[in-house]
Structure formats: C-alpha cells, structure tokens
Amino acid sequence: MRYYTLREELSAGSRWTGGYDLGRPWQLPGVECPTCGATWGGGGYDYPTVDLSALAGSKDYARPRCVPWAEFTSLRERVLPLLPPGATVGPGSGFGPLTGRARGRFAPVVVHMPWLLLMHPDVMAKLEGLTGAVPVPTRFKGARSVELVELEVLPGGRIVGAEAHEPCGTCGRTTFARPPLGKLRVTALPDVDFARPSASLVVCSERVIERLAPELSESEVVAVDVGAPEEGTTARPG
C-alpha cells in the first residue's frame, strides 16, 4: 500500500480564505535540558481526545512556559495514564480540542502544515471504516459558525534518514531536519490508513486519497507520494 502526505497549494485568488489562531486547553511546558543544553518545545504530538479537566492540578498545564527538566518529567508522568496506547509526548505537547478564533471560508479538507489535518464533518464521514485517525470537533470561535473536525493521528513509521541522527538521551531532541516533501521517504509504517512518522508529519494511505479525491481537488490539496523508493511525485486527486 502506498502512502502520501497532503499539501495545500492554493491558487492566486482562491476562494478558500479560512484562517485561525490555534490553541488548546492544556499543554506540557517547554523544557531546559541539562544534557544537550537546548531550551525547546514544539507541537505535533498533540492529543485532542485527552481531557485533563479532572486531573488534579490541571491548571499546571494551562499556561505555556519553559521549566527545568525535573519539573517537566513530573508533569509528564501525571498525564501518561490518560494517553491513548502508542502515544508519544514531548515538550509542548498539547491536549484537548483546538480552540481559538476562526475567520474566512474553509475548504472541505484543510492542511495546517503537514502535521495537522482538519475536515468538514461530512468529509470525515466518507472515511468510515478506515483506521488510524480519530475525529475530534474543534472549538473555534468566529463571526460565523465554523464546523471542522481535527484528526488525532498516533505515531507510526519513521522518516528515512532520521535513524542516522542520535537524539539527546535525556530530552529526546534531535538535529534531524525533515527532507523537503518531494524527497521525503517514510518506512516501517503500520497497517493503518493514517500514521504520524514524526511530530511534524502525518501520512495517509492510498485508500484515503481514493475516497477523498473530489474533496482534495476542490480544496486545492495535493497528495505527495512518500512511500516509494524512487524520487517522489506529486499527484493531483481527481
């Protein structure tokens, strides 16, 4: 089975003008690593299905900040039992549905960078029976009601070349830079239709591309092949 990542390529004067300010109710703080010396935090490994409202001290996750490593590990340990099987978390991981203010007109499929996929609910319904993604309604506010669902996708697979970059033994940070989408290769993918080979990348199977071909074309979203050993190609659904 072939896999693809999705990329938005809006034309000049596109009717899709949607935009938003993103947030989540809770997140792990950034960290100051005592081993590699880096101060960092980043999104991608986010879990919109995870609700921290009943967790004692949930307010500790409500304010973005950077903390020493010992404090970070304590905060991380408290949320681990609430995560879905196979989840990975790191500095900056977020929990709960997307919040913020939305504006403009949104396409049927919205790609917010290669690691965050949003869809209209009726589009998500076309993926019934496919595996690897859990739809979670967003909680955007705006002048008009915006109905979008976010796809929660768990880690799976790896980017070819990443194994040559040893992560920090303490915080896990790596110097590996993701290749451009046209040169990106992904391997060791599980037998699911959606997977997250890294915090900054979501891939989907050919079955997803086939089912959503009209919606992807309408949304001005292209599918980039990441599963072939030869040089990648870009396919325009429909």
Side-chain angles (χ1 to χ4, degrees):
M1 185 160 57
R2 303 185 77 82
Y3 282 85
Y4 301 81
T5 190
L6 300 179
R7 180 172 64 198
E8 205 172 56
E9 292 189 357
L10 299 181
S11 59
S14 173
R15 60 182 170 143
W16 306 123
T17 59
Y20 33 70
D21 303 313
L22 297 178
R24 294 191 191 274
W26 310 279
Q27 69 178 71
L28 284 170
V31 71
E32 301 166 3
C33 180
T35 301
C36 68
T39 299
W40 68 285
Y45 288 131
D46 298 325
Y47 301 95
T49 61
V50 174
D51 185 347
L52 302 189
S53 59
L55 183 70
S58 61
K59 65 179 185 301
D60 294 336
Y61 303 87
R63 180 171 57 88
R65 65 196 190 284
C66 192
V67 299
W69 179 249
E71 183 177 349
F72 171 80
T73 57
S74 175
L75 290 166
R76 181 179 61 183
E77 288 298 316
R78 288 161 55 190
V79 302
L80 290 180
L82 303 177
L83 299 180
T88 296
V89 292
S93 286
F95 311 103
L98 284 172
T99 61
R101 184 162 294 277
R103 57 199 174 274
R105 187 176 186 183
F106 289 89
V109 178
V110 180
V111 182
H112 183 78
M113 299 170 287
W115 61 86
L116 181 58
L117 302 182
L118 306 173
M119 298 180 182
H120 290 197
D122 59 329
V123 177
M124 188 67 209
K126 295 185 66 172
L127 300 179
E128 184 176 355
L130 299 190
T131 57
V134 178
V136 182
T138 61
R139 295 182 183 173
F140 290 134
K141 296 179 180 179
R144 292 179 295 177
S145 175
V146 179
E147 288 197 38
L148 292 171
V149 295
E150 177 189 5
L151 276 61
E152 180 180 87
V153 180
L154 293 177
R158 66 174 182 271
I159 299 176
V160 173
E163 67 279 358
H165 296 256
E166 191 70 24
C168 173
T170 299
C171 71
R173 186 175 183 272
T174 178
T175 57
F176 176 69
R178 194 190 70 216
L181 292 188
K183 298 182 180 298
L184 182 67
R185 298 292 171 273
V186 175
T187 187
L189 282 158
D191 187 21
V192 293
D193 293 289
F194 290 90
R196 188 182 295 278
S198 77
S200 61
L201 183 72
V202 166
V203 298
C204 56
S205 73
E206 60 193 42
R207 294 184 292 223
V208 175
I209 304 304
E210 290 166 0
R211 291 200 190 183
L212 298 187
E215 288 80 11
L216 294 176
S217 180
E218 182 184 357
S219 302
E220 301 182 64
V221 169
V222 298
V224 182
D225 188 342
V226 297
E230 66 274 16
E231 185 174 355
T233 57
T234 299
R236 290 188 177 273

